[in-house]
Amino acid sequence: MIRIENLSKSFTDKTLLDQLTYHFPQGQRIALVGANGQGKTTLLNILTGRETANSGQVIRPKSMRLGYLNQSASSTPEPTIREECMAGHLELFSAHKQMAVLLEKMAVHFQEEDYSVYEGLLKLYENNNGYQLEGNAEKILLGLGFSTDQLDQSPLVLSGGWRMRLELAKTLLNNPEFLILDEPTNHLDLPTIEWLEEYLQSFRGTLLFVSHDRSFLNNVANLTIYLKHGKIQAFKWNFDDFLNQKEQTKKTEAATLKKVLQRQNHMQSFVDRFRGTPSKAKQVGSRQKSIAKLQSAIEGTAVEGSEAKIHIPQLPFVNSGKEVFTFKGLDIGYTTPLIKDLAFIIQRGKKVAIVGKNGIGKSTILKTLNGSLPPLAGSVGLGHNVKIGFYNQNAAEEMVGNQTVFQTLQDANAQLSDQILRSLLGMMLFKGHDMAKMVSVLSGGERSRLAICALLAQAPNCLLLDEPTNHLDLISTQLLADMLQEYKGTVVFVSHDRDFIDQVATAVIEIDGNKARLWEKD
């Protein structure tokens, strides 16, 4: 399949890949994990030829069919969603279009030359199950949440999230031998993620994917490779198995390090005691050489430390009233109601997840609670002393680029001391020189973390969060989950990350059709 040899990639002062050599085993579903900024997407881009390495090589069979999920949709799609999906299988769709043109041409004026080309295309089409192309496209599109009525619409009417679903459908339709997916669950709702998991579990080729969705990682991967400091380590089975194996490795390394240090200290005591004794000079010299070798071994033993527990700095929070939001016969939507007759109360301190299919009104509820979208009928009452902090899906992109990280937080709340601001940033992994970085050079995940910090700096007692884990890696997602568990205020959030929902939510608003109900978790 694909093999990389001595692959290296650096950017100015940072080495992302350091002489990597690895053979991606055939037929495996491989999760590529690691913190933001460790080079996961860079490695995927090099494997697909979108970037070049500084040195080393990627070796793969010339005839191998490689599939990669584009992060941007075509600006000139086919006329319909169905046809644009079919276009994902380049060879068969090209033959499909050419045959249609030739049939029209021969119906008007038959030529033997045209018929010969048509026969060749037909043979190619039949040998590769071309007659199943349209049916397979529809099956994948419906599985990814498209409705039958949508299939003859133009792709240009779709939102950005649905265009990305269409790109995923095109990638899957091509049935590649080696499939590469970078954050495939972004923009997908829970039912669609579950469909994709089932699809990939039966995928017969080799799958390499990056995801921040812990449940997805556990349900799909049977091999996990860990990228850190430019090196790769491989672990059998899924993400939780990887964590267990990694923890055991850390314990083994710690035990080894302890023994090495004890031995080094024992020899150092001998050297210190007999350094000036001529009769012991040979033994002292021998032990000094051994100490130098042990020191080299110590420096090469990297024992990872545990992440510090989350702690929210003291902020000027003011408690809200007991009843934060009161829904009374509430209809929400834009011109026509998406959800009707909402009637329940969200109480102080609750952490409420809103779940349901995409386009069903989850974000619309948040906008209505925030006051940016008026109700179509009924009312939503805001409780006493409620101060809302709203995180929308574009929060990371809306950060001001020509400010530093620290200036951004100062602008969020000029009344907070520098110490508290630094504590907030440290809580979300901004350390030392990170605070002087310009926002414009931050990654998407770093911008998201900064946007969350800026929101907290305003000391709201009610957080409305729309897909806050988008762009966050697993470490940052876990930090956010820990922070929200400690947060004393009220949280209403939309997320497709099942593990995040399980950790944070104490109650759920479940939307089904145009109805919604609030239920408490056990």
Side-chain angles (χ1 to χ4, degrees):
M1 199 46 67
I2 292 183
R3 187 169 78 251
I4 54 177
E5 290 186 355
N6 299 317
L7 206 65
S8 294
K9 180 71 173 182
S10 298
F11 293 99
T12 57
D13 61 340
K14 185 170 184 178
T15 298
L16 289 179
L17 309 176
D18 185 10
Q19 294 188 330
L20 289 186
T21 296
Y22 186 73
H23 177 253
F24 295 94
Q26 187 169 354
Q28 299 297 301
R29 301 187 301 274
I30 308 162
L32 173 61
V33 301
N36 279 352
Q38 290 296 318
K40 300 188 297 295
T41 297
T42 298
L43 176 57
L44 298 188
N45 286 340
I46 291 172
L47 292 175
T48 58
R50 285 167 165 75
E51 288 188 42
T52 56
N54 298 129
S55 61
Q57 58 181 333
V58 177
I59 304 168
R60 62 171 177 260
K62 290 183 179 179
S63 60
M64 188 189 72
R65 192 162 62 249
L66 180 69
Y68 178 70
L69 175 59
N70 283 315
Q71 294 300 309
S72 57
S74 171
S75 58
T76 55
E78 298 296 327
T80 69
I81 290 171
R82 179 189 285 103
E83 290 173 297
E84 178 64 9
C85 180
M86 291 169 63
H89 202 303
L90 300 176
E91 186 178 42
L92 285 181
F93 188 66
S94 176
H96 173 82
K97 291 179 70 175
Q98 289 180 64
M99 286 192 297
V101 170
L102 287 169
L103 282 174
E104 288 185 13
K105 184 178 178 183
M106 289 187 293
V108 176
H109 179 63
F110 181 84
Q111 288 187 320
E112 195 65 40
E113 183 181 343
D114 289 337
Y115 184 71
S116 177
V117 173
Y118 179 83
E119 274 195 318
L121 291 170
L122 183 62
K123 185 177 180 180
L124 169 71
Y125 202 67
E126 290 177 341
N127 288 344
N128 289 278
N129 299 315
Y131 291 114
Q132 298 177 24
L133 182 65
E134 184 172 343
N136 289 339
E138 290 187 7
K139 181 179 177 181
I140 291 173
L141 287 167
L142 295 176
L144 287 173
F146 290 88
S147 67
T148 305
D149 294 340
Q150 285 181 288
L151 301 188
D152 291 316
Q153 295 177 3
S154 167
L156 297 176
V157 306
L158 298 175
S159 66
W162 283 94
R163 291 294 300 276
M164 290 312 302
R165 287 198 193 205
L166 182 51
E167 289 301 317
L168 177 57
K170 290 166 61 179
T171 305
L172 298 179
L173 182 70
N174 198 32
N175 196 27
E177 297 164 272
F178 196 107
L179 175 61
I180 296 178
L181 302 176
D182 191 359
E183 299 289 6
T185 62
N186 280 357
H187 311 295
L188 301 185
D189 52 34
L190 292 176
T192 308
I193 291 174
E194 290 169 355
W195 177 89
L196 180 60
E197 286 176 349
E198 187 176 343
Y199 184 95
L200 293 176
Q201 285 164 1
S202 62
F203 179 66
R204 294 182 180 179
T206 302
L207 170 67
L208 175 64
F209 70 100
V210 171
S211 177
H212 68 261
D213 185 323
R214 185 167 179 162
S215 297
F216 187 81
L217 287 164
N218 282 326
N219 292 337
V220 174
N222 56 20
L223 179 68
T224 300
I225 56 175
Y226 178 45
L227 180 60
K228 184 175 182 181
H229 300 325
K231 301 294 187 182
I232 276 180
Q233 288 178 280
F235 297 83
K236 289 183 178 179
W237 311 120
N238 64 22
F239 184 72
D240 281 349
D241 294 319
F242 150 70
L243 290 180
N244 292 333
Q245 293 172 64
K246 185 164 165 278
E247 183 64 25
Q248 186 57 50
T249 300
K250 187 174 73 173
K251 289 178 180 178
T252 302
E253 288 175 345
T256 302
L257 181 59
K258 183 178 179 180
K259 290 179 180 178
V260 171
L261 286 170
Q262 287 173 342
R263 189 177 173 197
Q264 184 191 46
N265 290 336
H266 179 72
M267 287 191 290
Q268 188 63 51
S269 296
F270 182 92
V271 169
D272 293 342
R273 182 179 179 185
F274 296 108
R275 194 187 301 273
T277 305
S279 62
K280 301 286 186 181
K282 188 173 181 180
Q283 293 100 313
V284 167
S286 174
R287 281 167 172 76
Q288 284 177 324
K289 289 179 181 178
S290 296
I291 288 170
K293 290 179 181 178
L294 288 175
Q295 186 59 38
S296 176
I298 289 168
E299 291 171 355
T301 304
V303 180
E304 295 187 67
S306 299
E307 294 294 334
K309 285 192 174 293
I310 200 79
H311 177 68
I312 301 175
Q314 288 293 327
L315 295 169
F317 288 116
V318 176
N319 281 336
S320 69
K322 185 177 180 180
E323 295 181 353
V324 178
F325 296 110
T326 303
F327 297 72
K328 293 183 179 179
L330 183 68
D331 289 2
I332 66 163
Y334 292 88
T335 54
T336 57
L338 289 170
I339 309 173
K340 295 182 176 181
D341 198 28
L342 297 174
F344 43 74
I345 295 172
I346 296 177
Q347 296 187 330
R348 181 181 62 222
K350 291 292 183 182
K351 314 290 169 57
V352 184
I354 306 175
V355 300
K357 293 181 179 180
N358 277 357
I360 206 166
K362 301 188 299 293
S363 297
T364 310
I365 290 179
L366 292 183
K367 291 174 183 176
T368 304
L369 295 180
N370 186 46
S372 55
L373 185 66
L376 294 179
S379 65
V380 54
L382 190 65
H384 177 67
N385 257 354
V386 174
K387 181 180 179 182
I388 292 174
F390 183 43
Y391 180 98
N392 66 52
Q393 290 188 27
N394 299 317
E397 289 78 10
E398 292 170 356
M399 306 299 292
V400 178
N402 61 357
Q403 288 184 324
T404 67
V405 166
F406 192 73
Q407 286 170 340
T408 299
L409 220 58
Q410 283 179 316
D411 281 358
N413 191 342
Q415 305 302 313
L416 296 181
S417 68
D418 286 0
Q419 181 180 354
I420 290 178
L421 294 177
R422 292 182 188 280
S423 295
L424 267 174
L425 289 167
M427 180 186 73
M428 292 304 287
L429 302 179
F430 290 100
K431 311 285 186 183
H433 297 304
D434 292 339
M435 300 186 191
K437 284 183 179 178
M438 300 299 292
V439 173
S440 58
V441 304
L442 300 180
S443 68
E446 289 171 325
R447 284 181 175 234
S448 293
R449 285 191 272 120
L450 181 56
I452 291 165
C453 282
L455 192 64
L456 283 176
Q458 298 167 33
N461 54 30
C462 177
L463 294 174
L464 304 179
L465 309 175
D466 197 357
E467 298 287 9
T469 64
N470 277 358
H471 310 298
L472 296 184
D473 61 17
L474 285 159
I475 293 173
S476 303
T477 298
Q478 187 59 56
L479 278 173
L480 180 59
D482 292 343
M483 184 273 288
L484 292 176
Q485 287 174 27
E486 183 180 318
Y487 178 69
K488 302 303 182 186
T490 306
V491 183
V492 185
F493 68 99
V494 173
S495 178
H496 64 259
D497 188 321
R498 289 156 293 178
D499 186 66
F500 183 78
I501 292 171
D502 288 342
Q503 289 191 67
V504 175
T506 61
V508 173
I509 295 175
E510 184 177 11
I511 306 172
D512 185 10
N514 64 357
K515 298 293 183 182
R517 67 186 184 100
L518 174 68
W519 52 272
E520 300 285 330
K521 287 181 66 180
D522 295 333

